[in-house]
Amino acid sequence: MGRDYISAIVAAKEAFSSGKTKDVKFRKQQLQKLFKCVRDNEVRWCEALKKDLNKSKTEAVSAEIILVNNEIVTAIKNLDQWVKNEPKKKELATITADIYTRKEPFGTCLIMSAWNYPFLLMLAPMIGAIAAGNCVVIKPSECAAHTAKLLQELLPQYIDPTCYPVIVLDAKDSADLVTNNRFDFIFFTGGTAIGRIVMKAAAEYLTPVVLELGGKNPCFVDDSCDIRNTARRICWGRFLNTGQLCLCPDYVLCSQGVRDKFVEEIKLALKEFYGSDPKHSPDYGRIINERQTLRLKKVIESGAGKIVVGGEVDVKERYVAPTVVTDIPADSAYMQQEMFGPILLVVTVKDMDEAIAVVNSREKPLAMYIFAKNKKLVNKILSNTSSGGVTVNDVVMHYVPHSLPFGGVGESGMGAYHGKHTFDTFSHRRSCLVDGNPEFFNSLRYPPHSQKKLSIIRLVLMKNMQKPGFVAFLQSLVGLALFGVLIACAVRLFVQL
């Protein structure tokens, strides 16, 4: 697309200035058209995801298309309620005022998605941005080339191409996009290194950002849990999308007594899920490109740790076998980066206290998983750690409910989205007060000041820490008296009319 994207950005800004996207009816129409785009072209979306990541149809539909479908339906059904002004609690000084927050769009937003779930991670935040009344510059990842090309082809056929332009850029132009253009809001999904670049560029204009990043997600496995079920669930989550998922359990923390049994159950689960040779399984994906495959190959061949399952790599085929590694040194390459591939690390600890210490010695992760029957232990881990989100006795599933905000903390990101949370993220909550005080009420704040005025101001406005008593009672009486005076004035005016 080259530098042609500049004109698309300018047109989107002009479209927003026209007020077109602020019309709730228009927003609903666009969401309905997007819904049609998703449903009409399911076969083509699945084909593109197959070409990019070798995703099976089941995984493409269940982990991407259905989630986008449901986000659209949720937004359309609830938009009328979401856009309403929210009344806020009044205080004595503003008892006659109308106090509320308005939900207003930021303007022209940039959404940059990642390549691992190129359909879901592009459209899910975009739905909330449209619902909130923004124009959106849509920038899919060029690494998932087939999906990006299809987004660029299909979206303009359904939704307004001026308000929601799709631009596909190479790495250089992508960097220029955020450093040389001013947006009203930026939503970025990707790695921490690029996230820092995006945030630095946004800081130049004090542009608000949401960063959906990642990290090494720990998985606590207590001796009390059902090891077979635990292994199956972790196996599913770790090797979903060939491990290219920011929510994947990255490393397991368990005792020596549990480790060997856990590894054996992982082997059984892998055979059940992908057969004796995952390379030929129709349900096992591929790494996005050769560069990422070589990165994983280098980590596996680093010599650190003991490979107890897998380890095979075929760079030409972009294939990395499901791999499990034990006896991992803390300073190894395995522990210095997010795997973002089909490698499960098993770290042995003395007890869960040591496991907590291991987690807290690292950056805050996007997700955390706890397998334990003991509720006190679960609460102890929750109380003594921090992460973007948590699933207990399963993995990944806290991503699914629209009622839960999804996002990171610290190095794993900032901001959150999903369902109404996405709408809120892309909305500026504008505080509004419409005054209703008669002028004589305001005389207390006007000069000339006096001790008498100050005494009344203290009595009416100053809050106290003590429990309700005489002072609170007196304040209530004053409030009622003032309100009574106001009513009397209103009645008098009405009678005079």
Side-chain angles (χ1 to χ4, degrees), residues 254-273:
C254 64
S255 69
Q256 184 72 42
V258 164
R259 187 193 70 179
D260 292 343
K261 185 178 180 183
F262 174 78
V263 170
E264 288 305 311
E265 290 294 346
I266 286 285
K267 291 178 181 178
L268 293 173
L270 282 170
K271 187 171 183 180
E272 177 188 349
F273 294 171

Side-chain angles (χ1 to χ4, degrees), residues 340-396:
F340 221 72
I343 303 172
L344 178 65
L345 311 177
V346 182
V347 177
T348 304
V349 293
K350 180 178 62 177
D351 52 30
M352 287 296 105
D353 286 332
E354 184 182 350
I356 290 171
V358 170
V359 171
N360 287 338
S361 69
R362 311 186 63 82
E363 297 291 346
K364 294 177 181 179
L366 178 62
M368 181 180 294
Y369 304 111
I370 306 169
F371 287 86
K373 292 181 180 178
N374 187 328
K375 291 183 179 180
K376 288 185 178 180
L377 175 61
V378 171
N379 288 329
K380 180 179 180 179
I381 294 171
L382 291 175
S383 298
N384 290 279
T385 59
S386 178
S387 65
V390 177
T391 295
V392 178
N393 293 324
D394 205 344
V395 297
V396 179

